[in-house]
């Protein structure tokens, strides 16, 4: 390189370093926030001879101190030093020991009237935000966060707060709106306020952390985490059937309500509980819907149905039979039992074993086969299918016919035939005994009167022989005593006997058939 050109460049370089404008390094953007009562340091670079520091508020300029190449002069509340960087280039460092609100002014690094640098100081007092003054909650599918702060101060009245989701995404950069209030503490003015937000909950399952920062303040003041989880779809505990006239209640719910909890309830009721009093059969088949809703705008909407069933009856039981003779002489009897006015169905129980049984909703058929001719008593019990303790029963008695009784009496070894024959013989014997006793009593009453009668002595009273007179007056002379006292041979004496049961509804255990007695020859 040409020597002259090198020297010329060096001169211009040195001149440029010495005569460039000074720079306050800590104030590159024209301003700086400093905490009240803290120590703040500022550095003014690029001066060659003398430098001075001032505070200026456009109405008054106060000198802080100055430095030359060898020393610095400053006041009690400051420290000021000069540091040589190059041969003719110096750096001055200013330390403010206790920053006050009055120093919220322009800080000037002054080299000459045309070479100076300004730095606007903003004095602040950081907010105090106790954790107990903060909360994050969920309501009506919205996340709500709030923090109350106090004892905050900013000389430029610049206050703001911000909420973050998952610590890296600012979703709200807020002012304090109208919540800010000024108050005085120890002769100093402070501000208090509340930082809040409301937003829809996330609809993707997971954990979400919410954080809050305040300015003026120290970084993040508060953290809280919520969990988003989907619910399981609705169910209810309603009974399948209730008996007519009863009360019941059931709840629409979810086995896992999710986070935040889903809302479950019956359509049209706005309630989780369905209450029915004095259930009527008219409610049968009525549809009720249990619905579960979760998330903003019903992000999850599921439902399940409940059909009311009211059981009733039976109100009566009807029992009848049909009979037909089989080829082998046995009888096939079909019994039909009908439950009247029953829902949903009836359950039938027979008092005997059916050869074949068929059932439907309210009718049961029972077929039996009889090989012996005997009296048959059958009971059918019909109960409600869902309420077995509600039942009615009916009994049908099939008596043995007269022809069957005669045939049975003639058969050998027949218990019934022997019984009837024995009863008949006993009846005849009793009639004979009664007749003998009656004749004997009558004779005894007549004989003493006639046999002991005697004629009185002459000195006794006269008497009339009534028997003789009667013979004389009413009978022929030759009539005997027997003829007088004996009744005509074709006349009969009888005693009428009547048997009465215990009551009108009592069934006879045995049937007696009495024929006409033959006339004596």
């Amino acid at each position: 390189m040409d020597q002259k050109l090198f020297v010329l460049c060096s001169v211009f370089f040195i001149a440029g370093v010495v005569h460039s404008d000074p720079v306050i390094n800590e104030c590159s953007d024209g301003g700086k926030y400093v905490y009240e009562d803290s120590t703040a340091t500022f550095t003014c670079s690029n001066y060659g001879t003398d430098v001075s520091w001032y505070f200026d508020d456009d109405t008054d300029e106060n000198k802080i101190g100055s430095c030359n190449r060898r020393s610095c002069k400053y006041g009690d509340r400051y420290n000021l030093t000069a540091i040589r960087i190059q041969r003719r280039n110096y750096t001055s460092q200013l330390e403010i020991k206790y920053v006050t609100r009055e120093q919220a002014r322009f800080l000037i690094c002054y080299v000459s009237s045309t070479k100076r640098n300004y730095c606007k100081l903003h004095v602040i007092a950081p907010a105090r935000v106790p954790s107990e003054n903060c909360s994050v909650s969920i309501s009506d599918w919205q996340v709500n966060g709030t923090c109350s702060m106090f004892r905050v101060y900013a000389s430029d009245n610049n206050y703001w707060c911000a909420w973050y989701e998952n610590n890296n995404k600012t979703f709200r950069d807020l002012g304090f709106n109208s919540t800010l209030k000024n108050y005085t503490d120890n002769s100093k003015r402070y501000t208090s306020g509340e930082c809040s937000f409301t937003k829809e909950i996330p609809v993707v399952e997971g954990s979400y952390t919410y954080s809050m920062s305040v300015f003026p303040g120290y970084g993040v003041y508060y953290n809280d985490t919520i969990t988003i989880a989907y619910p399981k779809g609705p169910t209810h505990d309603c009974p399948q059937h209730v008996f007519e006239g009863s009360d019941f209640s059931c709840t629409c719910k979810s086995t896992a309500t999710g986070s935040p909890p889903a809302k479950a309830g019956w359509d049209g009721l706005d309630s989780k509980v369905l209450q029915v009093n004095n259930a009527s059969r008219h409610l049968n088949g009525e549809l009720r819907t249990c619905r579960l809703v979760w998330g903003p705008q019903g992000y999850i909407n599921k439902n399940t149905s409940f059909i009311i069933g009211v059981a009733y009856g039976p109100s009566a039981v009807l029992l009848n039979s049909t009979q037909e003779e089989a080829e082998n002489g046995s009888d096939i009897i079909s019994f039909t039992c009908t439950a009247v006015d029953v829902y949903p169905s009836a359950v039938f129980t027979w008092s005997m074993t059916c050869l074949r049984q068929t059932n439907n909703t309210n009718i049961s058929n029972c077929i039996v086969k009889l090989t012996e001719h005997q009296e048959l008593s059958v009971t059918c019990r019909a109960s409600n299918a869902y309420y077995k303790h509600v039942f009615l029963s009916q009994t049908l008695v099939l008596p043995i016919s007269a022809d069957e009784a005669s045939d049975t009496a003639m058969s050998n070894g027949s218990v019934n035939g022997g019984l009837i024959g024995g009863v008949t013989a006993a009846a005849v014997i009793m009639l004979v005994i009664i007749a003998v006793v009656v004749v004997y009593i009558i004779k005894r009453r007549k004989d003493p009167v006639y046999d002991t009668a005697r004629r009185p002595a002459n000195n006794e009273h006269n008497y009339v022989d009534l028997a003789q007179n009667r013979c004389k007056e009413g009978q022929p002379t030759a009539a005997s005593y027997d003829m007088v006292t004996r009744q005509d041979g074709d006349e009969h004496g009888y005693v009428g006997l009547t048997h009465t049961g215990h009551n009108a509804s009592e069934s006879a255990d045995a049937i007696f058939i009495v024929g006409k007695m033959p006339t004596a020859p």
Side-chain angles (χ1 to χ4, degrees), residues 39-89:
T39 298
T41 301
F42 299 90
T43 303
C44 183
S45 302
N46 300 330
Y47 74 93
T49 54
D50 297 327
V51 63
S52 298
W53 292 88
Y54 290 89
F55 277 123
D56 189 359
D57 61 359
D58 294 333
T59 60
D60 186 21
E61 187 176 86
N62 295 324
K63 187 174 182 179
I64 298 172
S66 61
C67 294
N68 56 30
R69 297 176 181 177
R70 292 182 294 274
S71 62
C72 297
K73 295 180 180 180
Y74 49 88
D76 294 338
R77 300 179 61 187
Y78 308 98
N79 281 328
L80 192 57
T81 60
I83 302 172
R84 182 178 176 178
I85 303 301
Q86 294 177 350
R87 181 180 177 186
R88 299 184 63 186
N89 188 15

Side-chain angles (χ1 to χ4, degrees), residues 83-302:
I83 302 172
R84 182 178 176 178
I85 303 301
Q86 294 177 350
R87 181 180 177 186
R88 299 184 63 186
N89 188 15
Y90 293 86
T91 295
S92 178
Q93 187 175 71
L94 172 66
E95 181 182 82
I96 305 175
K97 295 181 179 179
Y98 301 102
V99 175
T100 64
R101 298 183 182 190
E102 290 73 20
Q103 294 169 342
R105 306 162 71 181
F106 283 103
L107 179 64
I108 302 174
C109 174
Y110 182 89
V111 176
S112 67
S113 59
T114 58
K115 295 181 180 181
R116 60 180 67 186
N117 190 238
Y118 294 85
C119 180
K120 177 63 176 178
L121 297 188
H122 303 285
V123 179
I124 59 176
R128 297 184 182 180
V129 187
S131 59
E132 59 268 22
N133 287 9
C134 299
S135 65
V136 173
S137 61
I138 298 176
S139 177
D140 293 331
W141 314 119
Q142 292 183 322
V143 185
N144 303 299
T146 182
C147 272
S148 298
M149 61 92 185
F150 64 98
R151 203 176 176 82
V152 62
Y153 171 78
S155 60
D156 59 356
N157 288 320
N158 181 21
Y159 301 97
W160 59 265
C161 65
W163 283 92
Y164 305 86
E165 190 174 79
N166 287 344
N167 297 324
N168 54 16
K169 179 183 178 182
T170 303
F171 65 89
R172 293 300 296 269
D173 192 352
L174 306 170
F176 288 90
N177 299 323
S178 60
T179 65
L180 290 178
K181 296 180 180 179
N182 295 324
Y183 68 97
T184 300
D185 186 13
N186 291 331
S187 301
K188 291 184 178 181
R189 181 175 64 88
Y190 293 101
T191 300
S192 65
E194 187 175 89
C195 183
S196 303
F197 79 92
T198 298
K199 69 182 293 289
E200 286 187 349
I201 66 169
V203 293
V204 178
E205 290 185 301
S207 296
Y208 295 82
T209 299
Y210 295 89
S211 309
M212 193 277 298
S213 294
V214 174
F215 182 84
Y218 299 113
V220 174
Y221 278 87
Y222 181 73
N223 285 293
D224 200 2
T225 300
I226 66 170
T227 299
I228 301 298
Y230 297 150
K232 291 185 178 179
T235 184
H236 60 77
D237 56 3
C238 299
Q240 185 176 4
H241 287 89
V242 296
F243 202 75
E244 186 175 31
S246 63
D247 303 336
F248 75 93
S249 64
C250 52
T251 303
C252 175
K253 55 189 176 181
S254 173
T255 55
T257 57
S259 179
K263 295 181 178 179
W266 297 98
D267 283 359
L269 293 182
D270 193 27
S271 172
K272 292 182 179 181
V273 178
L274 172 63
Q275 178 70 46
V276 176
N277 296 323
N278 192 20
S280 166
R281 65 181 65 185
H282 300 297
L283 293 176
N284 261 329
E286 186 171 303
L287 177 67
R288 298 296 177 93
T289 301
C290 167
R291 187 174 303 279
L292 180 141
V293 178
W294 183 93
Q297 289 80 50
Y299 184 79
I300 295 176
N301 191 322
K302 297 181 179 180

